[in-house]
Amino acid sequence: MNSPSPKTRANAFLPLWYAFAAFLCLGYIVLPFFYTLRSATFVDGAFTLSVFQEFFGNPNHVQVALNSLKLGVGTVLVCGTLGTVLALYMTFLAGKHKMILHILLLSPMMIPGVITVIAFIQLYGESGLVTKALQMLLNLSSAPFTFKGFGAILFVIAYTQYVYFYLNVYVALKYLDYSQIEAARSLGASWGRVFKDVILPVIKPALLLSTILTFASGVSSFSGPNLIGGYKVLSTQIVLSKVNNHLEMASVQAVVMFAISISVMLLVRWYGRKTSGVQADRVATRVVPLRANPLLVLGARVVVIAQIVLILLPIAAIVYLSFMTTGSIMQEIFPHSFTLENYQTIFAKPRVLQPLLNSLEMSALAVVIGLLITVPSAYIIVRNRTKLSGVMRFLIMLPSALPASLIAINLINAFAQENIFAFNVPLIGSYIILPIAYTVMALPMLLSSNEVAIGSLHHTMEEASKSLGAGPLRTFVSVVIPNTVPGILAGGVLMFIRMIGEYTMSALLYGIHNRPISISIVTNLQEYETGISLAYGVLVILVCYVALALIFKLDKNRFV
Amino acid sequence: MSDVVLQGITHRFESEDVLKNIDLTIPHGSFYTLLGPSGCGKTTLLRVLAGFIVPSEGRVFIGSEDVTELPCEKRNMGVVFQNYALFPNMTVGENIAYGLKVRGLSRTEIQERCSRYVELAGLGDYVSRHVQELSGGQQQRVAVARALAIEPQMLLLDEPMSNLDVALRAKMREEIRAIQQQTGITTLFITHDQQEALSISDYVAVMREGAVLQTGTPEDIYNHPEGEFVANFVGTTNELENQQLRPEQLMLANADQGGTPVRISTVRFTGPFYEYTAVNEQTGEQYHILERNRGTGSARSVGDACSLVPCE
């Protein structure tokens, strides 16, 4: 009997995989960042800090950085309040229609940011539906508000990013011990005290994690500031610098953005460690409907209803307007000339349809490449907890700390010329650069979702199959695949949704061969082809919802 | 007869010996229990037998066949895992039929054998249920039926009761013992619960830190423990007049009747028994005594002076 045991076979594969993962992570994540640092500090082949001096010496540049910071802080405050209130309401007070409310509250995450922003402009912009309705209702001679600048941008971001807080806090509250609340109440604590002493310690880790996530997305947000305007931030200035061929400045701006988001992230982590919250028992406890102050309940209910209206309005508006002629949208106060022309144009002209096909193809490609990298890696990490697998995990998770603009600038700096990691083919301007960027961005989420899917398959299940006489192949096909693939696919589909409307990296990296739908939505809008732009948006939303239905079919428990 | 023989099994994991030169013979048809605290290596030893691990040293024989290198899927061992490891993507029936399908049996044969073991495990009403819908006890029955359906050379049970509540544990213990006696299958059972081990087994091996300390029948182990660890692990012991005595092997007599003078320090009523602790005030030595409840109340109270003597 000399047949090698499965363990020795796995060991032969392991170093090969580590080498492969190291090649990809170094070539496409780590080294490109150093290319950016070099671009920011080397001018004409000599080390210099002159570009940094140019940035920090110019009050306009510094103001832009401060604006980004302010947007990040604002995002955390608004989203934190909104998301936590909604999570508390849904946990303690929601009775009827809880499931449908929950799905609705999660839905903003499922629509690409750029489409949301455009829908908001159609509603609240200078000639938006809500603006005009209010103007008529109040009999005003001009618009009751201007939808521009910090407030407007924060409004849009708050609407999309509160989901992080909502979902994380909602999940954390499942592990709250209800008898502790009853105990505190019976000892005479007010609801305020109960929140501070019982609830807050349990949701604190969720709050800190969400703070990191929303701050990062606030600091780096691009579609809001770019389309609404009136407020310059780093992400918009990076694109401007790149367009003006001042790549050194773009690199400096991207590094500054990274410095802001990473230092806040480290600060929050440090704070979290310093004041570690209670480790809740990881056992979900029974849910008891609570009797709370009716005024409090009413207040929370108003917030929920307002939020649901805010969520549904943009979708309704964008669908409605996509069936109007562009002329009617531009000229009539409340457009009512129904037409299918926008959709007909898209499907009749290959040139107009192409961006949609490009995005479908590139997001799918990114997810497939991402899964090919992360599925074996997750399997190794789950089954083989060693230092080496820990390093691999760290490298694959790195992009989660990088703003989208920085990932794009890194790739430009690394692959504008020949690079050994791309086998000396310049990638910038080629089709593949966008799928690569999408893949880099998707890697962390794909890896953690695969870890969950594979971790749920206990190793004894494979052993059980083998002890019953099944060989490795049979075990893989009839036990491993059916029990992990739904989770893996659901994670993949979710990333597909995230990537299909990606705008920030697309704006920096797209070329004539790979013009994505997000870019076409914006250019059509700017070229007064509003109808086409909105019809594009509806088609993307449609794709997202079909994909979402697929996730629910694959993995029912994903969001609950 | 195909006894299972483990010969000089040593297993190293990250340069630590988790099994140390273990010799063990499991007689054909017996119910054999490995008893020991967690981390003593009993599960590793089961995994060696199942073929999940090739030991660093030593041989495993089934009858005269050396199976040390035989991969688990060719070994024909029925394993019941601590967490049952049922396949969540299959129904109860599909779980039980899995090993038979793998063996390429005909459809009628699979059906016939499947229903026999469904019957044996008392799962008649649950065949088409999904395993997540079952209670812990039912899941365990499925795991046992699935392992038995392949008609293995041996049944290996890895702490199968540890996820059940106390009442169910006693019931499942009886069921497993009954099934074993009905089928006559050689069984290796793993537990850290001494009562479980004593009540269910033909033979017990007590393990500690990767080594087997003592093997024998439950009576041997309980009545003639070799060494302090075994004595204390399978029950409470008292040292009296250079003898190791169990609490029920001692009795309390009146102070004037000779024996070791002690004073009662606690009295605990458990229903069928009174449990006393008593202290020898000169030496400080503490004793545990168990007396049957005769329905007339406790004969002793805290503070009483008595004398301690071995039962006849």
Side-chain angles (χ1 to χ4, degrees):
Chain A
M1 282 291 159
N2 278 326
S3 69
S5 73
K7 195 151 191 155
T8 52
R9 245 176 280 147
N11 283 346
F13 167 75
L14 218 53
L16 274 177
W17 187 263
Y18 282 141
F20 175 64
F23 175 83
L24 291 179
C25 290
L26 287 178
Y28 291 86
I29 300 170
V30 179
L31 290 180
F33 176 65
F34 286 100
Y35 275 97
T36 295
L37 285 183
R38 192 179 70 176
S39 151
T41 52
F42 278 80
V43 177
D44 300 327
F47 178 80
T48 169
L49 287 176
S50 62
V51 190
F52 275 95
Q53 281 158 353
E54 182 188 338
F55 181 90
F56 286 104
N58 183 337
N60 291 337
H61 282 311
V62 175
Q63 188 55 48
V64 164
L66 289 176
N67 283 352
S68 287
L69 182 65
K70 200 170 127 195
L71 198 56
V73 173
T75 304
V76 170
L77 293 179
V78 174
C79 294
T81 314
L82 187 57
T84 309
V85 168
L86 290 171
L88 288 170
Y89 176 84
M90 289 297 288
T91 304
F92 294 116
L93 302 170
K96 274 185 290 178
H97 320 302
K98 187 168 171 173
M99 197 58 211
I100 186 86
L101 275 180
H102 181 60
I103 292 172
L104 273 174
L105 287 174
L106 290 177
S107 65
M109 202 166 64
M110 303 306 160
I111 300 173
V114 62
I115 296 175
T116 307
V117 174
I118 284 169
F120 268 62
I121 293 173
Q122 298 304 320
L123 283 170
Y124 311 105
E126 211 178 337
S127 53
L129 293 172
V130 171
T131 319
K132 281 186 286 190
L134 276 177
Q135 191 178 343
M136 280 174 66
L137 216 64
L138 302 172
N139 230 341
L140 300 172
S141 57
S142 63
F145 50 77
T146 45
F147 193 67
K148 275 236 172 300
F150 180 73
I153 293 166
L154 192 59
F155 181 55
V156 180
I157 296 177
Y159 157 84
T160 45
Q161 306 297 317
Y162 78 91
V163 178
Y164 287 118
F165 271 98
Y166 170 67
L167 190 59
N168 288 332
V169 173
Y170 183 76
V171 170
L173 282 172
K174 287 192 173 182
Y175 297 99
L176 181 70
D177 185 351
Y178 278 66
S179 50
Q180 280 182 15
I181 296 182
E182 286 161 357
R185 290 290 285 168
S186 72
L187 293 168
S190 67
W191 280 111
R193 271 215 91 90
V194 168
F195 180 76
K196 182 175 149 287
D197 295 338
V198 180
I199 299 177
L200 201 57
V202 173
I203 64 174
K204 203 174 121 187
L207 289 177
L208 294 180
L209 175 69
S210 313
T211 299
I212 292 174
L213 291 171
T214 46
F215 181 82
S217 70
V219 164
S220 60
S221 70
F222 175 61
S223 51
N226 191 42
L227 298 174
I228 294 171
Y231 195 71
K232 285 180 188 167
V233 291
L234 284 168
S235 58
T236 53
Q237 300 313 103
I238 289 171
V239 175
L240 208 62
S241 301
K242 191 242 166 190
V243 170
N244 292 335
N245 256 331
H246 196 349
L247 201 55
E248 294 80 13
M249 182 49 83
S251 299
V252 167
Q253 287 161 331
V255 168
V256 170
M257 183 198 273
F258 173 66
I260 293 174
S261 74
I262 200 82
S263 42
V264 167
M265 182 173 125
L266 293 175
L267 197 73
V268 173
R269 285 232 176 121
W270 169 80
Y271 172 77
R273 235 171 260 147
K274 199 185 70 158
T275 61
S276 57
V278 287
Q279 187 61 52
D281 288 337
R282 299 308 277 175
V283 185
T285 50
R286 82 213 141 90
V287 178
V288 188
L290 293 177
R291 284 171 41 216
N293 185 334
L295 226 66
L296 220 68
V297 178
L298 190 72
R301 200 158 281 166
V302 169
V303 173
V304 174
I305 292 170
Q307 191 63 23
I308 298 289
V309 171
L310 271 183
I311 288 169
L312 292 177
L313 257 185
I315 300 173
I318 204 167
V319 172
Y320 173 73
L321 290 176
S322 75
F323 289 104
M324 298 296 130
T325 59
T326 296
S328 150
I329 299 171
M330 308 284 285
Q331 286 147 22
E332 293 165 15
I333 297 181
F334 295 107
H336 51 267
S337 322
F338 179 85
T339 179
L340 288 173
E341 197 188 291
N342 299 323
Y343 292 95
Q344 282 162 344
T345 312
I346 291 175
F347 286 103
K349 295 185 183 165
R351 188 184 55 80
V352 187
L353 184 61
Q354 196 56 42
L356 186 61
L357 298 180
N358 283 346
S359 278
L360 287 171
E361 197 178 284
M362 291 191 295
S363 322
L365 193 59
V367 168
V368 170
I369 299 172
L371 287 177
L372 286 177
I373 298 169
T374 53
V375 169
S377 301
Y379 188 85
I380 290 169
I381 291 164
V382 169
R383 286 293 137 84
N384 229 329
R385 290 200 185 277
T386 59
K387 277 209 185 84
L388 220 51
S389 74
V391 171
M392 180 171 74
R393 182 169 199 281
F394 175 80
L395 288 176
I396 298 178
M397 293 304 284
L398 264 185
S400 63
L402 307 181
S405 311
L406 180 62
I407 293 177
I409 292 291
N410 289 350
L411 291 174
I412 293 173
N413 282 318
F415 295 107
Q417 64 282 344
E418 292 180 354
N419 182 314
I420 189 75
F421 286 96
F423 308 103
N424 286 339
V425 180
L427 296 180
I428 296 303
S430 75
Y431 172 85
I432 196 70
I433 191 66
L434 264 185
I436 289 176
Y438 295 170
T439 306
V440 169
M441 183 156 230
L443 281 178
M445 291 265 306
L446 287 176
L447 184 72
S448 30
S449 130
N450 291 339
E451 281 177 357
V452 171
I454 291 168
S456 69
L457 179 84
H458 199 272
H459 69 91
T460 54
M461 241 180 267
E462 288 161 72
E463 289 176 354
S465 171
K466 285 180 187 165
S467 77
L468 292 166
L473 185 68
R474 175 128 199 172
T475 300
F476 192 73
V477 171
S478 55
V479 176
V480 177
I481 288 186
N483 287 303
T484 54
V485 163
I488 290 171
L489 281 185
V493 174
L494 190 63
M495 277 334 279
F496 175 80
I497 294 177
R498 289 282 177 82
M499 289 308 145
I500 192 158
E502 205 288 331
Y503 183 46
T504 313
M505 297 188 299
S506 305
L508 286 160
L509 293 170
Y510 85 94
I512 45 167
H513 305 296
N514 61 2
R515 185 188 184 85
I517 187 73
S518 54
I519 298 296
S520 290
I521 288 175
V522 174
T523 46
N524 272 291
L525 194 70
Q526 287 165 343
E527 288 161 7
Y528 301 107
E529 290 288 354
T530 317
I532 305 273
S533 173
L534 297 176
Y536 273 143
V538 171
L539 290 173
V540 174
I541 291 175
L542 209 64
V543 170
C544 290
Y545 278 15
V546 169
L548 197 62
L550 198 64
I551 295 178
F552 270 97
K553 191 148 179 56
L554 286 167
D555 193 356
K556 276 187 217 109
N557 298 325
R558 196 163 190 93
F559 301 111
V560 268
Chain B
M1 293 303 262
S2 48
D3 293 351
V4 175
V5 179
L6 299 169
Q7 230 171 51
I9 301 289
T10 293
H11 190 62
R12 244 165 257 119
F13 184 71
E14 287 173 358
S15 79
E16 190 196 343
D17 283 2
V18 283
L19 294 176
K20 296 170 189 161
N21 193 24
I22 288 181
D23 292 308
L24 214 61
T25 300
I26 302 170
H28 181 80
S30 68
F31 197 112
Y32 203 107
T33 296
L34 297 179
L35 172 68
S38 60
C40 71
K42 52 194 192 301
T43 293
T44 310
L45 194 59
L46 177 137
R47 292 166 65 77
V48 167
L49 247 168
F52 300 141
I53 299 177
V54 179
S56 314
E57 285 166 36
R59 316 301 308 168
V60 180
F61 295 93
I62 299 178
S64 55
E65 192 194 350
D66 182 346
V67 298
T68 318
E69 310 277 341
L70 197 64
C72 58
E73 62 263 30
K74 306 224 169 89
R75 233 181 246 209
N76 202 26
M77 293 281 195
V79 185
V80 176
F81 293 85
Q82 187 169 6
N83 62 355
Y84 315 133
L86 300 178
F87 306 129
N89 55 319
M90 303 178 195
T91 62
V92 168
E94 286 165 348
N95 263 281
I96 296 172
Y98 182 78
L100 308 174
K101 277 195 199 136
V102 169
R103 281 167 174 68
L105 300 189
S106 74
R107 185 183 289 224
T108 48
E109 232 174 324
I110 292 177
Q111 245 165 21
E112 185 271 320
R113 236 206 259 183
C114 215
S115 56
R116 184 162 11 121
Y117 286 96
V118 163
E119 189 82 3
L120 187 71
L123 287 165
D125 301 334
Y126 302 100
V127 184
S128 50
R129 293 268 187 100
H130 265 275
V131 291
Q132 296 100 314
E133 300 166 31
L134 304 186
S135 70
Q138 290 161 343
Q139 290 190 3
Q140 186 180 59
R141 290 199 184 99
V142 178
V144 172
R146 184 178 71 179
L148 285 173
I150 60 170
E151 304 195 335
Q153 313 204 49
M154 209 178 157
L155 183 62
L156 307 175
L157 301 149
D158 185 6
E159 303 225 23
M161 316 287 189
S162 57
N163 289 327
L164 302 178
D165 63 53
V166 182
L168 197 55
R169 221 180 270 191
K171 185 167 179 287
M172 291 309 296
R173 187 158 78 195
E174 293 313 312
E175 278 186 28
I176 285 180
R177 179 63 170 160
I179 287 175
Q180 191 266 336
Q181 291 192 324
Q182 225 174 311
T183 54
I185 186 171
T186 314
T187 300
L188 184 77
F189 182 81
I190 285 191
T191 183
H192 59 262
D193 181 330
Q194 46 96 8
Q195 242 189 9
E196 206 163 86
L198 295 178
S199 63
I200 201 174
S201 319
D202 294 318
Y203 302 98
V204 176
V206 182
M207 289 185 68
R208 184 199 188 189
E209 289 172 4
V212 171
L213 301 181
Q214 187 179 358
T215 59
T217 63
E219 287 93 339
D220 279 342
I221 302 275
Y222 188 77
N223 293 332
H224 309 291
E226 292 166 7
E228 209 181 319
F229 179 81
V230 177
N232 286 320
F233 195 74
V234 296
T236 313
T237 53
N238 300 288
E239 197 176 313
L240 190 71
E241 296 159 12
N242 295 324
Q243 291 184 74
Q244 295 287 339
L245 293 165
R246 299 290 181 195
E248 68 277 9
Q249 294 164 343
L250 290 176
M251 63 187 230
L252 293 163
N254 290 337
D256 52 8
Q257 299 203 324
T260 309
V262 292
R263 194 173 290 281
I264 305 289
S265 49
T266 64
V267 179
R268 201 153 71 95
F269 177 58
T270 65
F273 298 102
Y274 287 96
E275 288 176 9
Y276 300 100
T277 51
V279 180
N280 180 339
E281 287 176 325
Q282 271 145 27
T283 61
E285 185 92 22
Q286 209 182 47
Y287 300 95
H288 300 270
I289 306 102
L290 199 63
E291 283 191 351
R292 207 145 56 85
N293 172 15
R294 291 165 205 278
T296 53
S298 171
R300 320 277 165 195
S301 351
V302 174
D304 284 2
C306 310
S307 92
L308 193 61
V309 291
C311 297
E312 299 298 295

